[in-house]
C-alpha cells in the first residue's frame, strides 16, 4: 500500500482533511479524561494529537504498519507508545483500552472484520470501538470524489476506492456487526476545508500518497495533465470550500 511516504507528504495530501475529522471521531468514541485509548492506523498522528489533548500522552497508544509513519508519530508525540503493527494482529492483551479508534483505516485492512474483531478484543467490556471511512461511493461526497470522478471519466477501468470496505453508507455498521460489536450506530461526519487556489488542492495528489496519489504518479505527464485539467473543470473557482463526508460507526465491545 502506498503509505511508505514521508509524513509531510501525507500531511499535505490527507492530513488537511483528517486533522479536522479527528475531534469528531473522538467525540463519537466518547473519549474523555481518565480513559486509556488506542489509535489504530495512526499514520503520522492526526487522531493521536486529539487523543493526547483529551487524555495526556501516557494514556494514549498508537499503531501503524508503515515505518515512516511510526517514526513520525513517535517524534511528534513524545510519551505516546507507538508500535509498528496492523489492526489484524494487535500486540496487546485483552481489554487493555477503554476506547479503540481507527480513523480512515478500515478500507485499507487486509481483513476488515478481523481487524475490527481485534479492536474489540483489546477494548474493555462495554468500552467503545469507533471507526470512519471517507464516502468513496460512486456519486459520494468524500474529499477525493472529484478526483476519482474525473479519473473514471478519462478511464472507465480505473481502480478507484469506491468498492473498498466501509466506503458506502451502511457498510461500516455491517462490518461492526460481523465483528461481534454491540449497540452499533452509524453516522456521517463532515469536514469543511478551504482551498485558496486550485494548485493548493491539486499539487498534493502528485506526491504518491495512498491509492489516489499512486494512480497519479503512474500516469505519464500528458495523462496526468489531462486529469488535472478535468478536475479543474469540475471544481468551483478558487478560493473554494470542499465539504467532505465520512461514514462513521461506533459499537460496544
Ligand atoms: C488514510 S491513512 C489514516 C491515518 C490517520 N489515522 C489519519 O486519520 O490521518 C491510513 C493509515 O492506515 C494504515 N494502515 C494500512 N493498513 C492497515 C492495517 N491493516 N492495520 C492498521 N493500519 C493500517 C496506513 O499505514 C495509514 O497510516
Amino acid at each position: 500500500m502506498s503509505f511508505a511516504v514521508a509524513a509531510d507528504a501525507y500531511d499535505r495530501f490527507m492530513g488537511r482533511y483528517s486533522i479536522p475529522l479527528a475531534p469528531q471521531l473522538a467525540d463519537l468514541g466518547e473519549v474523555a479524561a481518565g480513559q486509556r485509548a488506542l489509535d489504530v492506523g495512526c499514520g503520522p498522528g492526526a487522531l493521536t494529537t486529539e487523543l493526547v489533548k483529551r487524555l495526556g500522552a501516557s494514556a494514549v497508544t498508537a499503531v501503524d504498519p508503515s515505518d515512516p509513519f511510526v517514526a513520525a508519530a513517535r517524534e511528534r508525540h513524545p510519551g505516546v507508545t507507538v508500535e509498528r503493527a496492523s489492526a489484524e494482529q494487535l500486540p496487546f492483551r485483552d481489554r487493555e483500552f477503554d476506547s479503540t479508534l481507527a480513523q480512515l483505516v478500515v478500507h485499507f485492512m487486509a481483513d476488515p472484520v478481523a481487524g475490527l474483531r481485534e479492536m474489540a478484543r483489546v477494548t474493555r467490556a462495554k468500552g467503545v470501538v469507533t471507526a470512519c471511512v471517507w464516502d468513496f461511493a460512486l456519486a459520494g461526497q468524500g474529499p477525493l470524489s472529484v478526483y476519482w470522478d474525473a479519473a473514471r471519466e478519462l478511464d472507465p477501468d480505473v481502480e478507484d476506492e469506491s468498492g473498498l470496505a466501509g466506503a458506502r453508507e451502511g457498510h461500516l455498521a455491517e462490518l461492526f456487526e460481523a465483528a461481534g460489536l454491540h449497540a452499533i450506530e452509524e453516522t456521517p461526519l463532515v469536514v469543511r476545508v478551504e482551498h485558496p487556489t486550485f494548485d493548493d488542492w491539486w499539487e498534493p495528489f502528485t506526491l504518491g500518497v495512498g491509492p489516489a496519489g499512486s494512480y497519479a504518479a503512474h500516469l505519464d505527464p500528458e495523462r496526468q495533465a489531462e486529469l488535472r485539467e478535468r478536475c479543474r473543470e469540475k471544481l468551483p473557482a478558487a478560493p473554494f470550500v470542499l465539504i467532505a463526508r465520512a461514514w462513521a460507526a461506533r459499537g460496544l465491545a
Side-chain angles (χ1 to χ4, degrees):
M1 184 41 63
S2 30
F3 288 110
V5 292
D8 174 60
Y10 180 83
D11 292 342
R12 288 166 61 201
F13 175 69
M14 187 45 68
R16 54 189 175 170
Y17 305 115
S18 67
I19 288 170
L21 187 63
Q24 300 184 50
L25 192 70
D27 282 348
L28 188 67
E30 292 175 21
V31 176
Q35 296 177 346
R36 284 176 51 77
L38 173 64
D39 180 1
V40 176
C42 61
L47 177 62
T48 319
T49 301
E50 181 64 25
L51 298 177
V52 168
K53 225 184 265 175
R54 295 180 185 214
L55 309 179
S58 62
V60 178
T61 300
V63 298
D64 198 282
S66 154
D67 284 327
F69 287 176
V70 167
R74 283 185 181 146
E75 192 185 317
R76 291 178 182 186
H77 303 287
V80 172
T81 301
V82 184
E83 305 280 359
R84 186 182 180 284
S86 293
E88 294 88 339
Q89 276 188 299
L90 293 172
F92 307 112
R93 293 188 308 272
D94 293 357
R95 299 185 284 279
E96 259 193 65
F97 302 97
D98 300 292
S99 189
T100 302
L101 307 97
Q103 174 166 287
L104 309 175
V105 179
V106 170
H107 53 314
F108 295 122
M109 293 180 189
D111 185 340
V113 173
L116 290 168
R117 205 179 284 131
E118 269 291 90
M119 290 174 65
R121 178 185 67 75
V122 301
T123 307
R124 69 165 166 76
K126 304 269 166 61
V128 187
V129 173
T130 319
C132 66
V133 174
W134 293 124
D135 175 12
F136 283 114
L138 299 179
Q141 292 173 31
L144 309 185
S145 291
V146 165
Y147 175 88
W148 283 125
D149 286 350
R152 273 191 299 269
E153 284 175 16
L154 297 172
D155 174 7
D157 295 328
V158 68
E159 208 177 304
D160 62 19
E161 298 175 76
S162 60
L164 296 182
R168 58 183 160 81
E169 185 171 12
H171 195 223
L172 261 185
E174 285 173 30
L175 296 170
F176 269 51
E177 192 163 350
L181 287 149
H182 308 283
I184 298 159
E185 292 167 34
E186 186 176 287
T187 185
L189 304 178
V190 174
V191 299
R192 291 172 175 75
V193 176
E194 181 160 355
H195 292 281
T197 64
F198 172 78
D199 287 338
D200 166 82
W201 178 85
W202 168 258
E203 196 266 343
F205 282 90
T206 65
L207 303 177
V209 184
S214 178
Y215 177 71
H218 287 93
L219 292 174
D220 64 43
E222 247 171 58
R223 298 281 308 280
Q224 197 190 94
E226 208 183 344
L227 176 57
R228 183 190 66 222
E229 293 313 308
R230 187 61 68 104
C231 289
R232 196 194 300 271
E233 284 165 21
K234 291 179 162 299
L235 285 164
F240 58 89
V241 173
L242 200 147
I243 298 174
R245 175 167 68 191
W247 299 114
R250 52 164 280 157
L252 301 184

